[in-house]
Amino acid sequence: AMDAPDQLRQRAAHALIQIYVMSFLGTDHNWNTEIFVNYYEILVRNAFGSLRTILKEVSYSGMMASYLTFQNSASLAASGTLPDENYARESMQLFSVGLIELTEDGAYERDGYGLPIETYDTEDIGEFAKCWTGFTLRGGRGNVDIEGHSRGNRIDPMYIRGNGHDSKRDLFPKT
């Protein structure tokens, strides 16, 4: 039986998984228990921690990289195409700042015309997408169930491949 703090942590993690959503749809993971439990454990472990830590661990998760399509996204200089913008958009819209700036009491912040002020725009998404380039799965390991890992290790945090990531030397630097 779980004690009260563990029950609270599980309830908080359940609330967090409603925000930091994960699904096998659109992936080849087929609800492999091990990799989904590992992802959920990020939220359990950090249920009462900092938003920064949750965002970092979720962002380095091979599950999230597959689900929101930034796994192996490369810089324009490395690939000749613009980086994948999906995670950049979703991390701002769903996981952090939201769509509209808010006042201290939670009402929409409004401009001089009375219109809600957006927190980011399309240009911001494109620039932020450059940050999510180069993320790559770690190699497989023997103690991880092979189902759901055919394209790499989704248990251990990803690493950033330098040759796919935007750098200051690239022709297309972050602004």
Side-chain angles (χ1 to χ4, degrees), residues 43-64:
L43 304 176
V44 171
R45 196 172 46 251
N46 296 294
F48 298 113
S50 72
L51 176 61
R52 177 186 176 142
T53 302
I54 290 174
L55 284 172
K56 180 179 180 181
E57 288 196 35
V58 165
S59 296
Y60 274 82
S61 164
M63 293 296 293
M64 185 58 73

Side-chain angles (χ1 to χ4, degrees), residues 32-44:
N32 173 280
T33 303
E34 185 176 27
I35 57 179
F36 281 91
V37 167
N38 184 70
Y39 178 80
Y40 187 70
E41 279 296 315
I42 293 171
L43 304 176
V44 171

Side-chain angles (χ1 to χ4, degrees), residues 13-172:
H14 179 74
L16 288 169
I17 198 72
Q18 308 308 308
I19 298 167
Y20 300 92
V21 178
M22 180 54 56
S23 176
F24 71 95
L25 299 174
T27 71
D28 66 345
H29 310 317
N30 300 320
W31 283 116
N32 173 280
T33 303
E34 185 176 27
I35 57 179
F36 281 91
V37 167
N38 184 70
Y39 178 80
Y40 187 70
E41 279 296 315
I42 293 171
L43 304 176
V44 171
R45 196 172 46 251
N46 296 294
F48 298 113
S50 72
L51 176 61
R52 177 186 176 142
T53 302
I54 290 174
L55 284 172
K56 180 179 180 181
E57 288 196 35
V58 165
S59 296
Y60 274 82
S61 164
M63 293 296 293
M64 185 58 73
S66 173
Y67 182 56
L68 290 181
T69 66
F70 70 100
Q71 177 185 325
N72 297 323
S73 179
S75 68
L76 180 58
S79 68
T81 61
L82 292 172
D84 185 286
E85 295 180 348
N86 198 21
Y87 190 66
R89 180 182 308 98
E90 300 299 340
S91 63
M92 288 189 289
Q93 181 177 339
L94 301 176
F95 303 161
S96 59
V97 298
L99 292 172
I100 306 294
E101 290 187 25
L102 302 176
T103 62
E104 282 189 33
D105 65 356
Y108 284 174
E109 188 75 52
R110 302 209 177 258
D111 65 16
Y113 298 103
L115 299 172
I117 300 172
E118 295 180 350
T119 54
Y120 60 89
D121 60 20
T122 303
E123 184 179 340
D124 294 326
I125 294 168
E127 291 301 311
F128 197 40
K130 295 175 184 180
C131 299
W132 300 109
T133 57
F135 280 77
T136 304
L137 297 176
R138 296 197 180 272
R141 54 184 175 133
N143 63 338
V144 174
D145 200 7
I146 193 65
E147 182 190 346
H149 299 280
S150 59
R151 294 190 175 93
N153 175 345
R154 297 193 190 282
I155 297 290
D156 297 319
M158 294 184 298
Y159 69 97
I160 299 174
R161 216 180 54 254
N163 63 350
H165 189 66
D166 265 316
S167 73
K168 291 179 182 177
R169 296 182 306 274
D170 282 337
L171 297 173
F172 312 100

